[in-house]
Amino acid sequence: MTDGSGLQAGLKNRHLSMIAIGGVIGAGLFVGSSSGIATAGPGILLSYALVGTLVVLVMRMLGEMSAANPTSGSFSAHADRALGRWAGFSIGWLYWFFWVVVLAVEATAGAKILEGWIPAVPQWGWALLVMVVLTATNLVSVGSYGEFEFWFAGIKVVAIGAFIVVGALAVFGVLPGAHTDKAGIGNLTDHGGFLPNGPGAILTGVLLVVFSFMGSEIATLAAGESEDPQRAVTKSTNSIIWRIGVFYLGSILVVVCLLPWNDPSIKEQGSYVAALDSLGIAHAGQIMNFIVLTSVLSCLNSGLYTASRMAFSLGGRGDAPAAFARTTSRGVPMAAIIASVVFGFVAVFFNYAFPDTVFLFLVNSSGAVALFVWLVICASQLRMRRIIERESPEKLVVRMWLYPYLTWATIALIVFVLGYMLTDTKGESSGRTTVLLSLLVALAVVAVSVIKERMRGGRPVAVAASDTDTDKVSVDR
């Protein structure tokens, strides 16, 4: 039963703080870094630094807009106002599509780990179970989502923090009882140099790591349901630099110092498991499996939350069924959550029934959405800065550095990465395939938005203004 009362401020400041920290630590960091290290050697640090800088700049722009107007639609709502209805509609639905596919990917990854522990339950059974449990969590209240994410993110943060400390002690030879014969700063240059595969491997590394950063923007979507949205956005935006510096660059630096980059175990076991194993730490594989499972559950939890809030915002703006914008008495957009999880379940089915055809298409066609989202954030900020300065300059509590020059430089860098992806033609999930299929889906969504706008005749519709309102404030275009 819905009462249309809108979203409620059910997230505490501690929830938002941990969501912001945990948002940059995806499961991709644990399971995807090994291929990057194998490709670029120690130079993968430059790949992570380059993408990390890109994310910091994009999140600064998003922080500027979201601090001025916190909303569940985040960048989609900002694009709606700054660039036009077609932009808000298109990027909102593409982002929703990205996360419902992620639900299937992460549910399957978690199921594989759980099946390894308890093989009596089939893999599809575990995938179904984790999806049902986290759907129930999201349906109860936003507070229950926040509490689950607080603990999931907390485990990730503690695990990486412990890994960095233990690894650093081992690198400097002061970790008692550890096997440190392979560890040392010399691993950065002793095995073919810092760039053993040449400078070009840095850009190839960028393609491998860029998608592990998706999720940094979740804090700006969640801020609208917090006690103090503006403060939450400002805090998460200002802390993005140290979060990426510590959790990504810090932990990867430890990995490439503990083991030579070309050690076969990195590819066979995964970079973090191999690093722990090299120190003779008992049950390293199971420890990392537990941490990866936690990251998977965190990603599932946040993915369902994020997809549903984007659907809620689209519903409030007339770009999705009106039922998506209605909430229960606890402020939960039930229809938006159920619709998102249904598509997630369908994608899980495709993963088991048609893994090399339908599901492969879904994964590839959503792969470049992160870069499209970042491009839209940049373009929106270029126009929204002028709008905010004209209408309510006092709301510019977060400002993009060196505006507009850094914004344009960021746009150029994203376009360059997309262009470089087109040169990657290896495998079924090559960079070229990912960009072209993602572009195909994006063009289809834009076409739908243009047709929809023409059918609507350009009439003004409701646009989300604040998540704690009914999200039905008319905005004149």
Side-chain angles (χ1 to χ4, degrees):
M1 182 69 181
T2 59
D3 62 7
S5 59
L7 302 179
Q8 297 175 4
L11 292 175
K12 298 180 172 62
N13 286 330
R14 67 181 176 87
H15 293 155
L16 258 294
S17 297
M18 200 56 77
I19 288 169
I21 294 172
V24 297
I25 310 172
L29 174 63
F30 297 108
V31 298
S33 54
S34 55
S35 56
I37 293 171
T39 298
I44 195 66
L45 288 166
L46 297 181
S47 303
Y48 273 104
L50 186 61
V51 179
T53 300
L54 182 62
V55 172
V56 166
L57 294 174
V58 171
M59 289 306 108
R60 185 75 185 184
M61 296 177 221
L62 181 56
E64 176 182 287
M65 296 184 289
S66 294
N69 181 26
T71 169
S72 63
S74 189
F75 51 84
S76 173
H78 305 320
D80 197 294
R81 189 177 184 199
L83 305 177
R85 296 198 52 73
W86 69 270
F89 176 98
S90 302
I91 206 62
W93 277 113
L94 283 172
Y95 190 69
W96 178 87
F97 172 57
F98 171 85
W99 279 111
V100 294
V101 173
V102 165
L103 290 180
V105 173
E106 299 296 340
T108 305
K112 286 180 180 177
I113 295 173
L114 289 166
E115 186 190 30
W117 291 343
I118 308 177
V121 179
Q123 196 178 112
W124 65 265
W126 282 119
L128 180 67
L129 181 63
V130 295
M131 289 276 277
V132 168
V133 169
L134 292 176
T135 300
T137 300
N138 275 264
L139 284 173
V140 171
S141 69
V142 68
S144 63
Y145 154 73
E147 199 62 34
F148 266 72
E149 190 57 24
F150 176 81
W151 292 106
F152 285 152
I155 292 172
K156 289 190 293 185
V157 169
V158 170
I160 290 193
F163 176 82
I164 292 173
V165 171
V166 169
L169 291 174
V171 168
F172 292 106
V174 293
L175 184 66
H179 305 154
T180 58
D181 51 303
K182 291 185 178 180
I185 299 293
N187 282 330
L188 293 174
T189 55
D190 287 349
H191 305 276
F194 185 69
L195 295 171
N197 296 324
I202 297 172
L203 292 176
T204 307
V206 165
L207 305 187
L208 295 171
V209 306
V210 66
F211 304 110
S212 65
F213 282 84
M214 194 65 164
S216 308
E217 69 292 328
I218 291 175
T220 64
L221 279 91
E225 294 176 82
S226 68
E227 298 163 341
D228 187 348
Q230 191 177 74
R231 178 177 176 273
V233 170
T234 303
K235 188 176 179 181
S236 66
T237 301
N238 291 336
S239 64
I240 188 74
I241 296 176
W242 73 260
R243 286 186 276 134
I244 288 176
V246 172
F247 297 122
Y248 276 85
L249 291 176
S251 64
I252 295 297
L253 175 62
V254 167
V255 169
V256 294
C257 285
L258 286 177
L259 278 174
W261 69 272
N262 53 0
D263 192 299
S265 63
I266 290 180
K267 253 194 165 179
E268 293 167 3
Q269 300 174 274
S271 51
Y272 289 80
V273 172
L276 288 176
D277 263 348
S278 72
L279 300 178
I281 295 176
H283 310 296
Q286 293 305 321
I287 292 170
M288 282 310 304
N289 273 338
F290 173 73
I291 295 167
V292 171
L293 178 62
T294 303
S295 294
V296 163
L297 295 176
S298 170
C299 193
L300 267 170
N301 195 37
S302 289
L304 183 53
Y305 170 84
T306 305
S308 64
R309 270 29 177 207
M310 185 58 74
F312 169 84
S313 178
L314 288 166
R317 288 178 272 148
D319 289 333
F324 286 6
R326 291 197 288 270
T327 59
T328 66
S329 58
R330 294 190 176 190
V332 173
M334 181 180 291
I337 291 174
I338 292 175
S340 300
V341 82
V342 164
F343 276 89
F345 277 127
V346 170
V348 169
F349 168 75
F350 285 143
N351 194 7
Y352 287 107
F354 312 104
D356 300 322
T357 52
V358 179
F359 188 72
L360 185 63
F361 170 80
L362 290 176
V363 171
N364 285 336
S365 60
S366 64
V369 167
L371 293 167
F372 295 166
V373 166
W374 296 347
L375 262 181
V376 168
I377 290 172
C378 294
S380 300
Q381 190 265 341
L382 282 173
R383 298 196 66 182
M384 278 298 289
R385 166 65 79 89
R386 294 195 293 271
I387 293 172
I388 298 170
E389 285 179 335
R390 182 175 67 249
E391 297 181 357
S392 47
E394 73 282 356
K395 291 185 176 180
L396 273 174
V397 293
V398 175
R399 289 176 178 266
M400 176 58 185
W401 307 297
L402 297 177
Y403 169 83
Y405 308 108
L406 262 183
T407 302
W408 281 111
T410 306
I411 290 173
L413 183 56
I414 295 170
V415 171
F416 174 77
V417 171
L418 283 168
Y420 190 79
M421 286 178 71
L422 292 172
T423 67
D424 175 29
T425 58
K426 297 177 183 177
E428 293 178 321
S429 298
S430 66
R432 176 178 293 180
T433 301
T434 298
V435 170
L436 292 179
L437 286 180
S438 297
L439 195 58
L440 178 66
V441 172
L443 289 174
V445 175
V446 170
V448 171
S449 71
V450 171
I451 294 170
K452 190 172 185 292
E453 189 67 16
R454 287 183 177 177
M455 290 176 64
R456 188 159 44 201
R459 296 188 301 275
V461 299
V463 178
S466 171
D467 291 307
T468 51
D469 300 331
T470 58
D471 281 61
K472 293 179 180 171
V473 179
S474 180
V475 174
D476 187 14
R477 298 197 183 281

